[in-house]
Amino acid sequence: MQLSRGDFPKDFLFGVATSAYQIEGHQFGGAGPTHWDSFAATPGNVVRAEHGARACDHYHRWAEDLDLVAGLGADVYRFSTSWARILPEGRGQPNAAGLDFYDRLVDGMLARGIKPAATLYHWELPQALADRGGWRNACMPDWFADYTHLIMSRIGDRLWSAAPINEPWCVSWLSHFDGVHAPGMRDIRATARAMHHVLLSHGRAIAVMRDLGMQNLGAVCNVEWAEPASTTPEDQAAARRYDAIYNRFFLDGLFHGTYPPEVLAGLEPHLPKGWQDDFTTIRAPLDWLGLNYYTRKLIRHADTAWPSYAEAPTRLPLTQMGWEIYPDGLRDFLIRTARTHTGDLPLFVTENGMANCDTLAQPDTARIAYLADHLTAVRQAIAAGAPVAGYFAWSLMDNYEWSLGYEKRFGLVHVDFDRLARTPKASYHALARWWRG
Ligand code: IFM
């Protein structure tokens, strides 16, 4: 399928996204230890115990990588700053080399005509803060606000946009309830506190950035379309609980100043005292909302403790992650979110893409089809009235896929992790044709 810029509204923006720990090479440049380093060093947590010490060595190869972004014809580059690179202990003494690195990176984008879109936290919590309870600790919003002030005083004047926290569900639920990401906890109380503190930290960071005079501030939530596996009332209620935990908890907090009753049924006893008083901060007005969308889940009732749901098998094709390919979910999410939460606020698809068993010998035609189908879903959402203003492909290049290590390849650019050579895939060339056309 051929797509082009002309298929989208006049000012629609196209971009690619990455994150610090997944590409930079955390051992370089004086960054401090993070909870991902300890998580990965613990046997059984990460495939082959792989970690982000070298990753794609973007720390040294950033100029070549920004040339690749420019070569795509991208308007915007969504990157993240690493808290532990800027403040190796999480607080206190900054790492001058870390601040300098992000200065160079932002200037490098501007020099190539690329708009810099920063995210302040994409998961590499400084270990010193993890030692103090991490996202469970009620001091996190203060610490996050201090970190925000430090880095944004340095680069905030040149950013096109900024968002505090990538994917609050992953930071809290996936990491403290499912135990799949660092810190690998499975504890309902830790989960409730992390979920609330993540949103409160978001609100504090927005306030800090507004005080610095920054504009175009947003939030980035990952969303998953949930459908009941059958028409039974039990399965329907299970799908609603899944949707409430995964999607609506964060959107309701940010835009309605409430939490869904389905979530409070399980988490309310574990939320920090006085949580109801924090919504003025959490609901700080935003300039846009970003949705990261990859897949849908079919959900059935399970006879377990709350939240009493389980995933049901699907018959649709899967990506290398085992995720169902379901572009309609992106269309429906964009339409639903505008209707239920954001109204006229601009929406961005801040991540979308697929992992594929890519080799240099084969063109990644499956990824080209995935991207075309999801961009078509975006067009359908726009036609239905959703104010979608941009789309970011995940990811610029193959990188560290967290607990799944380096074998899940999401990149438009192939990375040979021995030689660190970058080779644009067929999907890179297809996007470049569409975005330049
Ligand atoms: O690689 C991740 C990214 O860090 C956050 N969003 C989902 C991607 C694919 O799993």
Side-chain angles (χ1 to χ4, degrees):
M1 179 193 290
Q2 276 301 330
L3 287 165
S4 79
R5 270 184 191 265
D7 298 327
F8 291 83
K10 191 165 93 16
D11 296 323
F12 195 87
L13 296 172
F14 293 100
V16 278
T18 63
S19 92
Y21 192 81
Q22 291 178 274
I23 63 167
E24 282 177 3
H26 200 73
Q27 69 186 320
F28 306 121
T34 82
H35 70 170
W36 265 98
D37 304 315
S38 352
F39 185 72
T42 310
N45 283 345
V46 177
V47 172
R48 290 182 294 273
E50 287 169 352
H51 47 68
R54 186 171 76 145
C56 307
D57 190 21
H58 172 74
Y59 184 78
H60 296 108
R61 298 166 195 244
W62 61 269
E64 177 186 353
D65 294 338
L66 292 185
D67 287 344
L68 286 164
V69 179
L72 264 173
D75 308 296
V76 201
Y77 176 52
R78 181 170 172 253
F79 70 107
S80 75
T81 53
S82 163
W83 191 341
R85 180 175 296 293
I86 291 159
L87 285 161
E89 294 296 313
R91 303 184 300 152
Q93 188 60 38
N95 171 29
L99 289 163
D100 291 348
F101 172 68
Y102 294 113
D103 233 357
R104 284 198 294 280
L105 197 64
V106 169
D107 285 344
M109 290 176 226
L110 295 175
R112 290 166 178 78
I114 302 163
K115 299 179 194 316
T119 304
L120 280 153
Y121 183 77
H122 197 127
W123 308 353
E124 59 288 301
L125 186 70
Q127 184 59 51
L129 303 185
D131 292 342
R132 301 185 64 174
W135 290 102
R136 283 173 292 154
N137 193 319
C139 295
M140 275 297 277
D142 288 340
W143 298 335
F144 192 63
D146 291 345
Y147 156 59
T148 302
H149 190 269
L150 177 67
I151 178 65
M152 288 308 174
S153 303
R154 183 70 178 263
I155 62 171
D157 58 336
R158 280 156 293 146
L159 295 179
W160 173 75
S161 76
I165 293 168
N166 185 65
E167 302 187 349
W169 178 87
C170 290
V171 177
S172 51
W173 188 271
L174 185 68
S175 309
H176 296 80
F177 195 87
D178 292 342
V180 173
H181 276 191
M185 294 189 73
R186 302 204 61 238
D187 183 289
I188 195 167
R189 192 169 181 80
T191 305
R193 279 150 198 268
M195 285 167 91
H196 185 69
H197 291 150
V198 162
L199 285 181
L200 187 53
S201 301
H202 157 91
R204 291 287 304 280
I206 293 288
V208 168
M209 293 192 280
R210 294 274 183 227
D211 283 351
L212 288 171
M214 291 174 59
Q215 294 172 1
N216 208 19
L217 307 181
V220 175
C221 295
N222 54 319
V223 290
E224 222 171 64
W225 193 253
E227 276 179 25
S230 79
T231 53
T232 65
E234 290 79 12
D235 284 356
Q236 295 197 357
R240 276 197 301 278
R241 275 195 303 283
Y242 188 89
D243 179 50
I245 290 169
Y246 203 115
N247 306 311
R248 283 186 281 120
F249 181 88
F250 303 100
L251 296 176
D252 284 3
L254 291 171
F255 294 99
H256 296 333
T258 56
Y259 290 146
E262 297 96 329
V263 184
L264 291 177
L267 293 191
E268 186 160 16
H270 306 292
L271 283 166
K273 202 158 171 279
W275 59 273
Q276 297 92 338
D277 303 331
D278 291 332
F279 284 116
T280 321
T281 307
I282 292 172
R283 283 185 82 179
L286 296 176
D287 303 307
W288 52 269
L289 172 69
L291 299 181
N292 294 355
Y293 176 87
Y294 291 89
T295 191
R296 164 184 83 156
K297 288 277 160 55
L298 293 179
I299 302 295
R300 65 172 176 79
H301 174 80
D303 285 323
T304 58
W306 184 90
S308 322
Y309 58 56
E311 284 174 30
T314 166
R315 294 211 183 85
L316 294 184
L318 307 176
T319 70
Q320 191 192 17
M321 297 290 277
W323 294 347
E324 182 190 69
I325 300 177
Y326 190 69
D328 288 357
L330 175 58
R331 176 199 62 206
D332 295 344
F333 241 116
L334 291 164
I335 295 169
R336 178 181 106 171
T337 305
R339 182 167 48 77
T340 57
H341 289 87
T342 51
D344 293 339
L345 196 74
L347 295 174
F348 288 86
V349 178
T350 29
E351 285 181 24
N352 177 241
M354 74 177 283
N356 195 42
C357 310
D358 298 319
T359 64
L360 284 176
Q362 293 283 336
D364 56 335
T365 46
R367 180 174 291 104
I368 296 174
Y370 181 102
L371 295 169
D373 291 347
H374 286 78
L375 280 163
T376 301
V378 171
R379 291 180 65 199
Q380 291 165 350
I382 294 170
V388 192
Y391 171 94
F392 293 76
W394 181 272
S395 178
L396 171 65
M397 56 190 166
D398 296 336
N399 58 50
Y400 180 61
E401 180 53 27
W402 307 108
S403 50
L404 297 172
Y406 288 96
E407 77 189 13
K408 306 292 183 205
R409 293 183 178 270
F410 272 93
L412 302 171
V413 174
H414 181 276
V415 176
D416 172 333
F417 289 108
D418 295 323
R419 296 182 306 120
L420 295 173
R422 278 92 159 125
T423 310
K425 301 178 191 176
S427 57
Y428 175 97
H429 296 298
L431 278 191
R433 270 195 310 277
W434 301 343
W435 292 358
R436 290 179 169 286

